[in-house]
Amino acid sequence: MAVLTALSGRALAALLPDLRVAPGSAYTALARAILSLLLDGRVAPATRLPSERELAAALGLSRATVTAAYNALRADGLLSSRTGSGSVTVLPRGVGPAGGGGSTNGRGAAAGASSGPGRRALSAARRPAGRPASRYADIRPLVEAAPAEDLIDLSCATFPAPAQLPELVVRATAALGPHLSGSGYEPTGLPALRERIAARFTARGVPTTTDQILVTNGALHALDLVLRLLVGPGERVLTELPTYAGLLDAVRASGARALAVPVAPEGGWQLAAMTAALRHGSPRLAVLIPDFHNPTGHLVPDGDRAELLRAARRAGTTVVVDESFVDVGFVAPATPAAAIDPGVVSVGSLSKPVWGGLRLGWVRAPVRLIERLAMVRAATDMGQAVLEQLIGIEVFDRLDEITAARIEQVRPRRDFLLDRLAETLPAWRAPVPSGGLSLWVELDAPLATPLVMRAAQYGVRIVAGSRFGVDGTMERFLRLPYALPEDQLATAVQRIAAAWSDLGAGGSGYQPLIVA
């Protein structure tokens, strides 16, 4: 099996829980903990684990204990070992399709899997932690199955249109006249709109000219164009784990393979793992979200950006940075990646800070690359609608005003949702994001997909963490946006808690459902 990244004994030890307080034998606890890291997306598939001797020294355990744990995982097909290559992690059979697609497997453990220690470790890792139903007994009676018209939708991290938009549409319509005598085709975008996008990059410390900008139908369209131009079938694209679900879909659609590197437990990049993935995996592209990462909301500091960009340049990997949330931050912004390395390709849109219904995005890149992207686009798309671009021009002239109001509105909602979760579901863990529009919530059992299904019956739509992972990982996580008003967020938390109570009390029967 190809090794795509590697962990040292010290690095793996830092990810593991305190094995001294875990139930069962030491080797079983270690095997179960490593499996949990794999299923939770904290250790990626195709990661070389440290040698038994090295891990034993890092954990203060006997080498025989580590050997027994590794043997248990090998027996269940969770480690692949070859002489000279060490032990490499493998996802359990039945978790995610072989091609890394997005099918759902509700059978739990794979048919025909062994029943040895590794399988027992797998079952224990998936089993809920015996939560008493009484913890939520005061919540469930407050919530009844909600009618469809009372649905609270937390599936999208996005704002409604700003109050200024109707006025800006009127102004844009009035400016349409001079354009009506032309063809209406602008494959790279209206010059005036490109000027405003370029000026905003320049103001952020990234000198940019209009011929370095291509206007697109949102950020996902921009990512798709870049993938179509720069990545061939079977080539690797480095991403974070978790990452934007649309990016993973676009990578699969291009025929490429996502090489997902887990983010650090406290948020941000694991630089050692990323540089190892660049060195061993030879990805053609790295598509990253350092500015208020989707879904964790973390901001990558300048030093980490510079180090990663140097490593990518050494590996010959083109870096694409998605800046969709760069204007929705609660802390001071970091240095733009393109200011550190001019070869970085930057992607952004107005969907997150302004409105998803305004389908305007862009690519900023070297001029020659923009010309090539425009040629790729012309094969299927003759350019953006003129009126929509005129609206975009008006929006850019008011963008600072709009984003300031957005941040003032959404920061207290973030804090409100954090407080309600801490009060209502205290066993869950929700780090405070530095920006963006959602919390990345860690549950106390890997039941995200069953919870999503049960929560829908209570009238709240949420998204499981597996939607932001690859091959069945991230089942212990949820993304919970906080853009809605506080009364809706409060009701949503009550309904989610009631659904969680159902799972803990066995109301629906626990089914170990894994979604790739």
Side-chain angles (χ1 to χ4, degrees):
M1 180 178 188
V3 176
L4 300 182
T5 187
L7 280 176
S8 67
R10 181 177 298 179
L12 179 55
L15 295 173
L16 292 168
D18 187 351
L19 300 175
R20 295 171 298 180
V21 299
S25 64
Y27 92 88
T28 300
L30 177 57
R32 184 165 56 242
I34 292 173
L35 174 62
S36 293
L37 292 175
L38 182 60
L39 292 178
D40 290 350
R42 292 192 169 104
V43 171
T47 295
R48 184 172 58 217
L49 298 185
S51 69
E52 295 160 7
R53 185 189 304 276
E54 181 184 358
L55 184 57
L59 293 174
L61 297 173
S62 70
R63 184 177 178 184
T65 296
V66 177
T67 298
Y70 277 20
N71 285 341
L73 294 171
R74 288 189 195 101
D76 202 44
L78 304 170
L79 285 184
S80 173
S81 299
R82 290 182 180 177
T83 303
S85 298
S87 298
V88 181
T89 56
V90 182
L91 278 173
R93 287 168 289 175
V95 177
S103 67
T104 300
N105 177 2
R107 298 173 298 162
S114 71
S115 57
R119 177 54 58 195
R120 291 196 294 271
L122 173 59
S123 299
R126 288 175 173 171
R127 189 180 304 125
R131 300 181 309 277
S134 60
R135 177 184 297 176
Y136 308 101
D138 58 336
I139 296 171
R140 189 179 175 199
L142 300 177
V143 184
E144 298 179 355
E149 61 269 18
D150 193 32
L151 177 70
I152 298 175
D153 190 351
L154 294 179
S155 64
C156 293
T158 186
F159 289 113
Q164 299 95 327
L165 192 58
E167 172 197 347
L168 302 182
V169 171
V170 171
R171 292 171 61 89
T173 304
L176 181 61
H179 297 272
L180 297 178
S181 59
S183 69
Y185 294 124
E186 292 284 353
T188 57
L190 291 179
L193 178 57
R194 295 163 67 203
E195 286 173 5
R196 282 162 174 78
I197 298 170
R200 197 161 184 87
F201 273 105
T202 299
R204 293 173 56 213
V206 187
T208 303
T209 58
T210 57
D211 53 0
Q212 290 180 270
I213 300 295
L214 172 70
V215 177
T216 64
N217 182 30
L220 185 55
H221 181 212
L223 290 170
D224 178 66
L225 288 173
V226 173
L227 288 166
R228 285 164 53 193
L229 176 64
L230 297 181
V231 181
E235 291 188 310
R236 296 189 178 109
V237 177
L238 178 70
T239 74
E240 296 131 327
L241 179 66
T243 192
Y244 169 44
L247 167 60
L248 294 174
D249 290 341
V251 170
R252 295 185 187 108
S254 72
R257 298 165 56 195
L259 170 54
V261 178
V263 300
E266 67 278 8
W269 293 337
Q270 296 192 76
L271 283 173
M274 279 201 159
T275 54
L278 288 166
R279 183 171 59 252
H280 296 296
S282 303
R284 181 70 181 85
L285 289 184
V287 185
L288 307 171
I289 313 175
D291 299 283
F292 312 120
H293 174 256
N294 182 10
T296 68
H298 190 79
L299 180 68
V300 175
D302 288 0
D304 290 0
R305 295 174 186 233
E307 184 174 341
L308 189 281
L309 291 172
R310 286 194 296 268
R313 186 168 285 276
R314 288 194 299 268
T317 300
T318 299
V319 175
V320 181
V321 169
D322 183 349
E323 296 184 329
S324 295
F325 284 98
V326 73
D327 290 312
V328 190
F330 309 127
V331 299
T335 301
I340 300 172
D341 184 341
V344 166
V345 178
S346 303
V347 167
S349 85
L350 294 177
S351 297
K352 297 304 182 182
V354 183
W355 186 42
L358 190 60
R359 305 305 305 147
L360 283 175
W362 53 84
V363 181
R364 182 217 176 265
V367 174
R368 178 56 185 149
L369 182 56
I370 292 295
E371 292 172 350
R372 294 170 62 199
L373 287 169
M375 294 172 63
V376 169
R377 178 183 191 165
T380 58
D381 179 5
M382 297 302 292
Q384 207 70 15
V386 172
L387 180 57
E388 191 167 58
Q389 293 184 79
L390 293 173
I391 296 171
I393 291 169
E394 298 293 335
V395 167
F396 267 97
D397 290 343
R398 303 277 291 275
L399 189 53
D400 287 336
E401 170 193 334
I402 292 171
T403 56
R406 295 300 207 191
I407 293 170
E408 182 180 358
Q409 177 189 60
V410 81
R411 186 198 300 264
R413 295 179 181 179
R414 176 202 66 176
D415 297 340
F416 177 83
L417 182 56
L418 284 165
D419 290 343
R420 292 310 298 262
L421 286 172
E423 176 185 343
T424 309
L425 293 154
W428 291 10
R429 178 178 175 270
V432 180
S434 300
L437 292 175
S438 61
L439 304 180
W440 184 241
V441 183
E442 182 177 357
L443 316 182
D444 58 327
L447 292 166
T449 297
L451 176 59
V452 167
M453 298 167 66
R454 176 61 69 182
Q457 299 177 7
Y458 281 93
V460 59
R461 181 179 294 153
I462 51 179
V463 181
S466 56
R467 188 69 182 89
F468 303 88
V470 293
D471 295 327
T473 57
M474 318 308 294
E475 266 296 305
R476 198 180 293 270
F477 296 88
L478 291 175
R479 188 187 74 166
L480 293 181
Y482 43 76
L484 294 179
E486 291 179 2
D487 60 334
Q488 294 187 50
L489 293 176
T491 302
V493 171
Q494 282 191 338
R495 294 178 180 180
I496 292 168
W500 191 242
S501 175
D502 275 358
L503 297 179
S508 64
Y510 171 56
Q511 296 291 330
L513 183 65
I514 300 295
V515 175

